[in-house]
Structure formats: C-alpha cells, structure tokens
C-alpha cells in the first residue's frame, strides 16, 4: 500500500487546468464491498460557500453516477501520465459489464470512511457531497452552441459540488 501523506487543504497548490483537463482524473464512489470509477476531464476546484470545493460533471448514463448519488462521499484521484492507458480503459468500459478496475491494472484503496481511491495517484482529493443539480438546456446562455457541440443526445450532466475534506499526496 502506498504511503500517502495528508496535507492541509489550505496548502494544496495545484494548477487545475493541468491537473483536470490535461491530466485527467478518476472519480470514484461506493464502499469496500462495491464501488465504481470513471475517467473525467471536466471539473474544477475553488471556494464556494466558504469551503474548499471540487466540482465534477457526470452524465446520466454513467454507472459511476449511481454510486455518487448513493454515497455521501466521492474521491478524485490524479494518476501521472504513465497510467493514461489504464485511465482510458476505465473511461471507455462500463463497470456494469465487467470488473474494469481489476482489468485496468490500477490498485484501489479506501480511506477511513470507506471512500475508494487509487494508489497510483500522485494526488487524491477526498470530498463530501454538498450539492447536486441536473443541468438543463434552458440554462445555457450561448445560443445553443454548447448544447449543439457537447450534448447532441441531450444527455446533460449532473453537476456535483463536494467539499474537499482531505488532500493526500505522494
């Protein structure tokens, strides 16, 4: 088991564009008995309601959404580039159909509350859900450009905001 060190959330300094968009992340939720994860490159980090937060977006058809909805907490794991192939696999295969975590070669771990994350990550954010809101076509303000380019099936994401409770680092 990897020996992560916990760093104070206020001391977490990361460039969110590099970390999330270019580096990708694994969103995981569930418990020791059953969990799932997905690869994501849309999300953000910041301050909301006087709390450090992460926000992520999950489409309704993703199996991981069921686990995020059913659990109080989720994690965001950020593996380095050498795990890109495994992350791509996790992002293209459904956990409904097979044990994609095992087949990916990544190693799952769990915090004290039972929230899953990945040992290969250089950084892990452990989050407690604060807010969830399904997105709707009527709320896009750009004349339909985003809807046309990102939602041709009208399968709008749900936005989740989670308070970052712990940051684990190598």
């Amino acid at each position: 088991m990897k020996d992560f060190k916990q760093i104070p959330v206020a001391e977490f300094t990361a460039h969110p564009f590099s970390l999330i968009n270019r580096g990708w992340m694994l969103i995981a939720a569930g418990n020791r008995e059953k969990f799932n994860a997905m690869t994501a490159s849309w999300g953000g980090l910041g301050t909301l309601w006087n709390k450090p937060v992460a926000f992520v977006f999950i489409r309704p058809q993703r199996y991981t959404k069921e686990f995020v909805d059913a659990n109080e907490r989720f994690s965001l794991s950020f593996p380095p580039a050498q795990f890109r192939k495994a992350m791509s696999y996790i992002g293209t295969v459904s956990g409904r159909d097979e044990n994609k975590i095992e087949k990916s070669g990544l190693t799952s771990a769990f915090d004290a509350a039972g929230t899953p994350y990945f040992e290969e990550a250089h950084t892990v954010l452990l989050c407690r859900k604060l807010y969830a809101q399904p997105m709707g076509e009527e709320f896009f303000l750009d004349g339909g450009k985003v809807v046309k380019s990102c939602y041709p099936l009208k399968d709008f994401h749900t936005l989740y905001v989670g308070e970052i409770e712990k940051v684990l680092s190598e």
Side-chain angles (χ1 to χ4, degrees):
M1 182 167 195
K2 189 172 186 175
D3 190 25
F4 281 102
K5 61 182 177 233
Q6 184 175 336
I7 61 172
V9 176
E11 293 178 17
F12 175 57
T13 58
H15 190 273
F17 299 109
S18 298
L19 194 65
I20 296 170
N21 182 255
R22 289 188 288 267
W24 295 359
M25 63 184 160
L26 295 169
I27 303 170
N31 56 49
R32 293 177 192 274
E33 290 75 44
K34 190 169 183 179
F35 71 95
N36 201 53
M38 62 177 272
T39 303
S41 63
W42 290 4
L45 305 171
T47 303
L48 185 62
W49 306 310
N50 300 314
K51 298 176 184 296
V53 298
F55 54 93
V56 296
F57 301 85
I58 304 176
R59 289 191 194 265
Q61 64 267 41
R62 296 302 297 256
Y63 186 45
T64 302
K65 185 178 186 312
E66 295 176 27
F67 291 87
V68 173
D69 287 341
N71 289 275
E72 182 181 3
R73 291 178 166 77
F74 63 89
S75 70
L76 305 177
S77 296
F78 300 92
Q82 71 247 37
F83 296 102
R84 192 77 162 200
K85 185 175 179 181
M87 292 176 70
S88 182
Y89 184 79
I90 287 174
T92 56
V93 174
S94 176
R96 286 186 188 99
D97 302 327
E98 65 179 54
N99 186 339
K100 68 180 185 176
I101 307 302
E102 185 177 292
K103 287 189 175 184
S104 75
L106 296 180
T107 310
S108 57
F110 300 87
D111 74 350
T115 306
Y117 63 92
F118 292 93
E119 287 191 11
E120 289 78 7
H122 56 76
T123 305
V124 176
L125 305 180
L126 297 166
C127 304
R128 183 178 54 84
K129 287 188 308 185
L130 295 174
Y131 183 82
Q133 175 70 48
M135 297 172 75
E137 183 172 6
E138 67 274 21
F139 299 110
F140 287 89
L141 305 175
D142 68 346
K145 293 176 189 170
V146 170
V147 171
K148 185 177 180 182
S149 67
C150 297
Y151 299 102
L153 302 176
K154 309 288 185 180
D155 57 342
F156 299 102
H157 290 88
T158 295
L159 158 68
Y160 295 90
V161 178
E163 178 180 4
I164 302 169
E165 294 185 311
K166 291 182 184 175
V167 176
L168 306 178
S169 182
E170 295 184 307

